[in-house]
Amino acid sequence: MLKDITIGQYFPGSSLIHRLDPRFKIVMTVIYILMLFTGSRLSCLIVGAVYTVMAVLLSKIPMKMFMKSVKPLMPFLLITALINLFLVGTGATVYKWRFINITEDGINISIFMVIRIVLLIMGSSLLTYTTSPITLTDAIERLLTPLKKLKFPVHELAMMMSIALRFIPTLIEETEKIMSAQKARGAEIDTGSFMTRAKNMAAILVPLFISSFRRADELATAMECRCYHGGEGRTRLRQLRSSPRDYTALAVTIVFYAAAIVIAHI
Amino acid sequence: MDEMIQIRDLHFSYSAGEGETEPAEEVLKGIDLTIKRGEFVAVLGHNGSGKSTLAKHINAILLPTSGKVTVEGIDTADEERIYELRQKAGMVFQNPDNQIVSSIVEEDVAFALENLGVPYEEMRQRVDESLKAVNMYEYRQHSPSQLSGGQKQRIAIAGVIAMQPDCIILDEPTAMLDPQGRREVMATIKQMNEEKGITIVLITHYMDEAAQSGRIVVMDKGRVVLDGAPREVFSHVEQVKSIGLDVPQATELAWELRRAGYEMPEDILTEQECTEAIMELFRS
């Protein structure tokens, strides 16, 4: 049951998008977000939409998966659309009934907002779908390296992230063991009213916490034994190498961004 | 210089917490031990005998309350040379899950080398060699969570071997493994000792594992009580039993037979030897 949990929802593959340098992918995602926030007319989004469709097709990940990532945010989309529909009062009135006043601008802005959010979700999902969490952490560490000069603990953050990722399956396994052990002792975890179940969760969480602290302590000793002393003077087995492919992809993204700016100012 | 590890009059007690007036009890009460290069030493002892505490002194995870521990001439109390020391004396722990740092096997093996700042080309080569040495090369891209306990423990050993240590200390490495995993890990340890000449200090409470070593040190209540070759140590059946440890089954059977008045040799260790001795008894 718990085994189904996937963090980061990475889909292994070898498409062009998968093979891009993760650092470039992060930078391109940032440019992509900027692109979507250029201008406020529907025509501005066309550029973003074309770019998204192109990237999705290149990633060879089924469209269905992107729909799945949008689904949980449907209520949010609906509320955004309704608020804009009812509260925008400018432009020609299309429909009027008592206090409700729907205008042309209202309709346009609602559609615009919904499309923009859907594109945002799809674009960022594309990053996590095509990049494994550990690679992503690595790329973030390297992109943030300049911040080290400002005493920002870049290496430490990345190390914590990667240890957390490493221990997710271990802790899931442990949780399942504790659950079975508590069920065998008669704890009601799957049955009973909401309150009983919530109370009984303590029987799982307390042992889980205690064992996590013990694990942390042992891991720290093991890391010390292997000469860990922070990020200073560290070399890496995983090498990130940028290729002409990455620069081309970045150039294409910038061209799209420029196009969006141009359209916004016409 | 043939002495790998030298322990002189080692005393250790965990420092008493704040507010506690009584001094903490000594865990190690004066240990003298010399381990030579290339030896395979098993440290046997009951829970609380201080064997794990002793192991942690060898690579400066714990420092002596009094006395001295040196590894290849480096004093463990010398903070300047602590990374040099830890690179020479690697350590493998009991729980395989709690010593693997990375989500990818080969990156975990590289962890120590990354910390030591080994350049990429050399690191790549040493990681591959270490993985091949423990027969886990084909798993290099796997996630540790996909591996069995024995495989994870072999990865942990590979992570230590990558440092090219002169000595490996293993603190009950097989305690959490199934019989299959135990066999794999023991075979790997023996191979490291025989082929690479790495000094092994194996902390264990399994008699059959200790019997495979070249020398057994038996600890009880913070002291070394017996020290010698497996045959010699296990021939002191009564003394071994008196501190709550067992002797290998074959040794015990021979001992019981001898007590019952049959003529059996004193230094029986393996089933093979025991069978032969019994056959001999029938013939005469």
Side-chain angles (χ1 to χ4, degrees):
Chain A
M1 169 188 73
L2 285 168
K3 288 249 160 72
D4 301 334
I5 297 176
T6 50
I7 303 293
Q9 302 168 305
Y10 170 56
F11 291 92
S14 57
S15 75
L16 177 68
I17 308 282
H18 280 88
R19 277 178 293 147
L20 286 178
D21 185 324
R23 291 171 297 183
F24 280 76
K25 275 196 262 187
I26 293 175
V27 171
M28 277 163 9
T29 308
V30 172
I31 297 176
Y32 172 74
I33 292 168
L34 291 175
M35 190 195 305
L36 292 182
F37 281 91
T38 319
S40 51
R41 274 179 298 146
L42 209 51
S43 56
C44 297
L45 282 181
I46 293 172
V47 180
V50 170
Y51 183 82
T52 315
V53 170
M54 196 180 76
V56 166
L57 289 178
L58 280 174
S59 76
K60 300 207 173 103
I61 288 172
M63 200 59 199
K64 192 169 81 199
M65 292 320 300
F66 291 94
M67 291 298 117
K68 251 188 189 168
S69 67
V70 173
K71 221 171 156 190
L73 287 158
M74 278 313 251
F76 175 69
L77 284 175
L78 207 67
I79 291 168
T80 315
L82 289 177
I83 286 177
N84 281 301
L85 201 59
F86 291 127
L87 296 185
V88 174
T90 55
T93 302
V94 179
Y95 180 78
K96 198 172 166 73
W97 181 72
R98 293 196 188 175
F99 60 89
I100 296 173
N101 182 19
I102 294 174
T103 64
E104 242 170 51
D105 280 6
I107 295 172
N108 282 341
I109 292 176
S110 314
I111 296 173
F112 176 80
M113 289 305 271
V114 168
I115 295 178
R116 180 190 264 174
I117 295 168
V118 169
L119 288 179
L120 263 179
I121 300 168
M122 285 174 69
S124 38
S125 303
L126 189 65
L127 178 67
T128 52
Y129 283 170
T130 59
T131 323
S132 73
I134 194 84
T135 329
L136 210 53
T137 313
D138 217 25
I140 293 171
E141 178 178 3
R142 278 167 226 228
L143 281 175
L144 294 182
T145 306
L147 289 181
K148 267 185 192 160
K149 289 203 180 83
L150 304 171
K151 304 257 186 234
F152 187 77
V154 177
H155 166 75
E156 284 75 7
L157 274 179
M159 184 53 99
M160 280 190 264
M161 270 285 285
S162 59
I163 289 176
L165 288 171
R166 146 79 185 85
F167 274 91
I168 287 167
T170 310
L171 291 181
I172 289 174
E173 207 175 296
E174 176 131 42
T175 312
E176 277 177 344
K177 259 189 219 162
I178 296 173
M179 276 169 89
S180 312
Q182 300 293 32
K183 273 187 209 159
R185 288 169 174 77
E188 285 178 73
I189 292 157
D190 300 328
T191 52
S193 73
F194 177 74
M195 280 312 284
T196 13
R197 274 187 294 170
K199 266 185 212 157
N200 288 335
M201 276 310 276
I204 293 163
L205 290 179
V206 171
L208 190 64
F209 266 102
I210 293 175
S211 102
S212 304
F213 281 122
R214 191 178 309 127
R215 277 182 198 283
D217 186 38
E218 278 181 32
L219 184 72
T221 312
M223 284 168 76
E224 270 188 10
C225 282
R226 290 207 266 160
C227 307
Y228 181 70
H229 54 274
E232 223 171 289
R234 234 169 157 256
T235 47
R236 302 299 300 267
L237 179 69
R238 184 203 296 277
Q239 301 283 314
L240 292 181
R241 282 202 193 85
S242 43
S243 62
R245 199 168 51 208
D246 299 307
Y247 290 102
T248 317
L250 184 63
V252 169
T253 311
I254 292 170
V255 167
F256 267 87
Y257 182 37
I261 293 172
V262 169
I263 290 176
H265 289 280
I266 289 171
Chain B
M1 204 189 71
D2 252 328
E3 278 148 8
M4 185 75 218
I5 302 165
Q6 260 199 327
I7 300 169
R8 288 287 159 265
D9 194 30
L10 169 63
H11 288 261
F12 179 77
S13 50
Y14 286 98
S15 50
E18 260 177 71
E20 285 173 46
T21 46
E22 276 176 49
E25 205 199 336
E26 274 200 328
V27 186
L28 299 176
K29 302 165 184 166
I31 289 187
D32 282 286
L33 198 63
T34 304
I35 291 169
K36 290 198 177 68
R37 184 178 298 277
E39 262 193 305
F40 181 171
V41 181
V43 179
L44 265 179
H46 216 253
N47 287 340
S49 62
K51 57 189 194 303
S52 288
T53 313
L54 176 68
K56 286 186 180 137
H57 276 85
I58 303 175
N59 70 349
I61 293 298
L62 294 174
L63 293 174
T65 308
S66 74
K68 196 174 174 181
V69 180
T70 57
V71 176
E72 290 201 326
I74 305 172
D75 190 334
T76 57
D78 186 352
E79 269 184 50
E80 304 267 299
R81 299 176 76 182
I82 194 155
Y83 296 118
E84 193 186 337
L85 171 83
R86 286 186 178 156
Q87 182 260 310
K88 282 183 194 299
M91 191 144 179
V92 176
F93 294 91
Q94 186 179 48
N95 189 334
D97 272 325
N98 296 355
Q99 54 187 322
I100 292 177
V101 184
S102 177
S103 328
I104 296 166
V105 164
E106 64 171 10
E107 283 185 27
D108 187 74
V109 174
F111 183 69
L113 303 183
E114 293 182 333
N115 291 334
L116 292 165
V118 174
Y120 175 77
E121 297 300 327
E122 193 191 338
M123 176 156 33
R124 182 78 255 172
Q125 191 195 341
R126 275 161 75 170
V127 166
D128 290 347
E129 274 171 16
S130 310
L131 280 166
K132 280 175 189 156
V134 298
N135 281 322
M136 289 295 289
Y137 186 66
E138 59 268 48
Y139 294 95
R140 64 192 180 282
Q141 291 294 344
H142 281 56
S143 151
S145 58
Q146 298 168 304
L147 304 177
S148 74
Q151 289 175 322
K152 282 186 220 172
Q153 206 59 301
R154 273 150 63 199
I155 294 302
I157 294 174
V160 170
I161 294 171
M163 293 195 285
Q164 298 177 334
D166 299 312
C167 167
I168 304 178
I169 305 128
L170 303 106
D171 190 357
E172 303 199 35
T174 59
M176 299 183 74
L177 306 182
D178 55 12
Q180 167 70 22
R182 283 180 55 193
R183 271 195 298 277
E184 289 170 13
V185 170
M186 276 311 286
T188 310
I189 296 171
K190 276 171 86 171
Q191 189 196 342
M192 292 308 124
N193 179 248
E194 282 157 17
E195 289 173 15
K196 294 186 184 261
I198 298 173
T199 312
I200 304 283
V201 179
L202 173 69
I203 315 283
T204 182
H205 59 247
Y206 289 115
M207 300 308 129
D208 52 335
E209 284 176 9
Q212 295 175 42
S213 71
R215 175 182 168 194
I216 296 181
V217 173
V218 181
M219 285 187 65
D220 186 41
K221 298 192 184 85
R223 287 193 176 88
V224 172
V225 288
L226 284 168
D227 182 355
R231 276 173 212 289
E232 197 186 319
V233 166
F234 287 132
S235 66
H236 297 93
V237 179
E238 269 156 80
Q239 194 182 353
V240 172
K241 279 180 168 289
S242 74
I243 55 171
L245 291 172
D246 285 321
V247 293
Q249 279 184 329
T251 314
E252 180 152 14
L253 177 61
W255 178 68
E256 292 282 359
L257 283 170
R258 206 161 51 241
R259 272 216 310 189
Y262 295 98
E263 248 183 64
M264 289 285 282
E266 276 198 359
D267 60 348
I268 280 174
L269 201 58
T270 63
E271 281 166 35
Q272 180 76 26
E273 290 166 358
C274 191
T275 326
E276 274 165 25
I278 293 172
M279 295 295 278
E280 192 62 34
L281 244 132
F282 279 127
R283 268 183 226 125
S284 60

